[in-house]
Amino acid sequence: MLQSEIYSIGVDIGTSTTEVIISRLKIKNILSSSLIKETVIEGKEIIYKSPVIVTPLLDEVTIDFNGIKDIVSRALKESNIDKNQISTGAVIITGETARKENAEEVSKNLSEYLGDFVVATAGPKLESLLAGYGSGASEMSKNLSRRVVNLDIGGGTTNVSVFNCGECEQTFALDTGGRLIKFNDEGEIIYLSKRIEFLVKKMGLNLKLGRRAELHELEIICKKLSKCLLEVCCLEELSEDTKRLFISEGFELFEVDYIGFSGGVGEYVREVNKNISLEEIRKHNDIGPLLGNHISREFEDYKNIILSPKERIRATVIGAGNHSLNISGSTIAFEKSILPLKNIPIIKPFEKEENLNEIYIKASPKLDLYNESMVAISLKGPKSPSYEDIKLIGREIIKFFEKVIGPIIVILENDFAKALGQVISLNLREKREVICIDKISTKNGDYIDIGLPIGEAIPVVIKTLIYNS
């Protein structure tokens, strides 16, 4: 019988702060329009939110894993949820923390501590997407039938997601955040990010380690970073300085209808206080409050299109706990004995138009990009495939996987996974595990985690893994 409720955890280990949420997800079987039984997530309820806690570090380049584990253990204890009850979720390492020397190790160890299907992820594209979900930007875009841009501004980075009518069009990230400059209680600079050193030098600012930070110089750098955000919202022409701040590639110009701000610095993007003092800035011993103040000023002329987010500082962790999971089922084929699987690279033979006769030809060269023993192949597939179509796809996939060690893993966007899985299994020369899932959309460069079955459905997380970039 289908489990009607599962628990999900989200852990966001950010440049400045770490947060944990625990959610209850309601799973339900429904009959689709084609009268096929389908498994869906019917409801999501956050049952626990941790306090916002300063991210524990051993030094400037090392995350304190024991400190992070203590935060998570305390959250489980306070929520009265045993970690064995956690069925899914995501550990997200964001911003400059993802560049720490032990980021990958911490993420992997924490996900293993939490259970078989809590995934370890990092990378600005996924962070941007989850923040856009958690802030409510996706939902507002869908409800308004308009393009909504969400800027999630944290300690080290700004993660941007662009939603049009609820669908994510693009994501990107910049080195812009509240802890790019940090001071001690005496106002002396104790940290200056290398990511903005070129701006400091170009603008002739005397911001140096050990030197007392002058308010007027901090104002200049915050104004510049704020203007960069105007540019990435396509409200001003993109400058060469802003281009140098991009972490991820693939930015495309767009027309914006509405803008939302989330993240720790997003808490300060509100009413303009033109007389902000150095004492107010020193509240967190960084430039976060001042940067938020300047963003408010730079976007003053566009205040009529600024939306209030559902969540600000907790947007990413809520996205991780509530929106990282997909459900594939019930018309799927899978071999339970080899699940769960984690971090399987996805090969997508076609970016746009698909030619079923060329699946093997287009997919094979992409194998050279991966040294892993397992890969998954991803296709959109025809909406209503004939039996001949399914046999053709099956032959092409079998031919491709002759070069691959491990199970045959196929991801379809359209709904015919069970039929394709059966055709593949019947036409194999020797026994091999087959996993064929549908209703999942992917891109090249993505990875997939496939969890233990929930009734007749399978939980899936699509992610991008990037560390120390």
Side-chain angles (χ1 to χ4, degrees):
M1 184 178 173
L2 177 67
Q3 183 180 349
S4 59
E5 290 184 345
I6 61 173
Y7 291 98
S8 172
I9 192 167
V11 184
D12 179 10
I13 305 168
T15 305
S16 308
T17 60
T18 292
E19 300 133 72
V20 181
I21 71 152
I22 297 173
S23 301
R24 183 188 293 116
L25 308 182
K26 293 184 179 179
I27 311 295
K28 184 180 180 181
N29 274 338
I30 63 170
L31 282 178
S32 67
S33 56
S34 57
L35 299 181
I36 295 173
K37 189 168 63 174
E38 189 177 323
T39 306
V40 297
I41 300 174
E42 184 187 33
K44 303 172 184 179
E45 177 191 3
I46 297 172
I47 60 173
Y48 174 82
K49 292 181 184 180
S50 76
V52 177
I53 302 163
V54 175
T55 297
L57 302 175
L58 296 175
D59 53 50
E60 283 292 341
V61 296
T62 314
I63 304 166
D64 180 0
F65 172 70
N66 288 326
I68 296 290
K69 188 176 175 182
D70 287 344
I71 292 170
V72 175
S73 298
R74 191 159 59 249
L76 290 166
K77 185 177 180 181
E78 291 174 357
S79 66
N80 292 318
I81 299 295
D82 188 276
K83 74 183 181 78
N84 294 323
Q85 294 177 268
I86 301 292
S87 300
T88 185
V91 176
I92 308 287
I93 298 190
T94 58
E96 291 205 323
T97 314
R99 298 168 179 150
K100 302 299 182 189
E101 290 181 358
N102 65 335
E104 185 171 3
E105 180 186 358
V106 166
S107 191
K108 179 176 178 287
N109 289 344
L110 190 57
S111 67
E112 286 179 355
Y113 162 71
L114 285 167
D116 274 338
F117 193 59
V118 175
V119 302
T121 72
K125 288 185 176 293
L126 182 64
E127 294 159 24
S128 302
L129 180 65
L130 294 181
Y133 284 135
S135 69
S138 172
E139 184 183 350
M140 288 185 279
S141 169
K142 183 177 181 180
N143 292 341
L144 294 167
S145 298
R146 292 289 184 272
R147 184 176 284 112
V148 176
V149 181
N150 189 71
L151 295 93
D152 189 76
I153 312 164
T157 58
T158 295
N159 296 313
V160 186
S161 49
V162 183
F163 293 91
N164 191 7
C165 299
E167 296 295 322
C168 187
E169 288 186 324
Q170 62 174 309
T171 60
F172 52 90
L174 301 92
D175 283 310
T176 302
R179 288 184 79 77
L180 297 180
I181 302 174
K182 298 190 288 189
F183 345 97
N184 60 20
D185 290 338
E186 286 69 49
E188 295 173 343
I189 297 174
I190 58 171
Y191 176 75
L192 176 65
S193 174
K194 291 180 180 180
R195 309 280 169 166
I196 59 167
E197 282 181 351
F198 79 96
L199 284 178
V200 172
K201 183 177 180 180
K202 182 176 180 178
M203 301 174 82
L205 302 176
N206 194 20
L207 296 171
K208 297 177 182 176
L209 291 178
R211 183 179 174 274
R212 187 178 175 84
E214 298 295 334
L215 179 57
H216 74 279
E217 291 194 310
L218 297 177
E219 295 257 15
I220 291 170
I221 193 72
C222 286
K223 182 174 182 178
K224 175 65 175 176
L225 294 173
S226 301
K227 279 190 170 295
C228 292
L229 297 185
L230 265 184
E231 293 172 19
V232 300
C233 288
C234 300
L235 298 172
E236 288 190 4
E237 187 177 348
L238 200 65
S239 67
E240 290 303 315
D241 289 340
T242 300
K243 289 177 184 177
R244 287 187 65 177
L245 290 173
F246 272 87
I247 300 167
S248 53
E249 299 177 353
F251 172 77
E252 295 180 7
L253 294 173
F254 55 87
E255 290 185 11
V256 60
D257 295 314
Y258 295 99
I259 301 168
F261 296 94
S262 59
V265 175
E267 296 280 354
Y268 295 95
V269 183
R270 298 186 184 183
E271 294 300 318
V272 177
N273 176 4
K274 295 185 185 293
N275 299 311
I276 190 167
S277 67
L278 200 54
E279 285 67 34
E280 289 174 278
I281 297 170
R282 288 181 188 160
K283 181 176 180 182
H284 303 296
N285 281 348
D286 61 32
I287 60 170
L290 184 63
L291 178 59
N293 181 270
H294 271 275
I295 293 168
S296 300
R297 297 187 197 186
E298 294 301 321
F299 282 80
E300 176 74 12
D301 291 342
Y302 303 96
K303 62 184 179 182
N304 60 315
I305 63 169
I306 304 295
L307 298 174
S308 290
K310 289 170 65 176
E311 292 286 345
R312 293 180 189 266
I313 196 168
R314 287 190 171 91
T316 302
V317 72
I318 287 173
N322 267 13
H323 299 280
S324 58
L325 180 75
N326 293 298
I327 294 285
S328 181
S330 298
T331 56
I332 58 176
F334 61 89
E335 181 66 44
K336 184 178 178 180
S337 63
I338 61 170
L339 298 177
L341 294 170
K342 290 191 178 186
N343 297 339
I344 308 300
I346 292 170
I347 290 176
K348 194 162 188 177
F350 309 99
E351 291 294 342
K352 292 181 181 176
E353 202 74 26
E354 292 187 342
N355 184 336
L356 302 183
N357 289 292
E358 295 185 354
I359 294 172
Y360 171 77
I361 294 171
K362 295 291 186 182
S364 293
K366 296 178 188 283
L367 264 178
D368 297 336
L369 299 171
Y370 302 101
N371 295 318
E372 290 92 344
S373 59
M374 282 192 278
V375 297
I377 191 167
S378 175
L379 300 165
K380 185 173 183 178
K383 275 192 175 178
S384 301
S386 66
Y387 183 58
E388 291 303 315
D389 287 336
I390 294 173
K391 284 201 298 183
L392 172 58
I393 296 169
R395 284 197 302 270
E396 290 284 304
I397 286 172
I398 290 170
K399 189 177 177 183
F400 169 76
F401 273 93
E402 286 174 356
K403 295 184 172 186
V404 180
I405 299 170
I408 294 174
I409 305 172
V410 186
I411 306 161
L412 300 171
E413 194 167 321
N414 284 321
D415 186 8
F416 60 98
K418 193 162 196 170
L420 180 59
Q422 289 170 343
V423 165
I424 291 171
S425 296
L426 286 170
N427 287 279
L428 287 171
R429 287 183 227 171
E430 53 188 47
K431 183 168 170 54
R432 193 170 179 183
E433 294 90 353
V434 176
I435 295 177
C436 202
I437 57 179
D438 52 29
K439 297 197 172 177
I440 303 292
S441 179
T442 70
K443 301 184 294 295
N444 272 312
D446 285 345
Y447 287 69
I448 187 169
D449 286 2
I450 307 173
L452 293 166
I454 305 170
E456 297 177 63
I458 285 183
V460 172
V461 174
I462 304 296
K463 61 193 182 180
T464 304
L465 294 175
I466 303 173
Y467 292 93
N468 301 318
S469 56

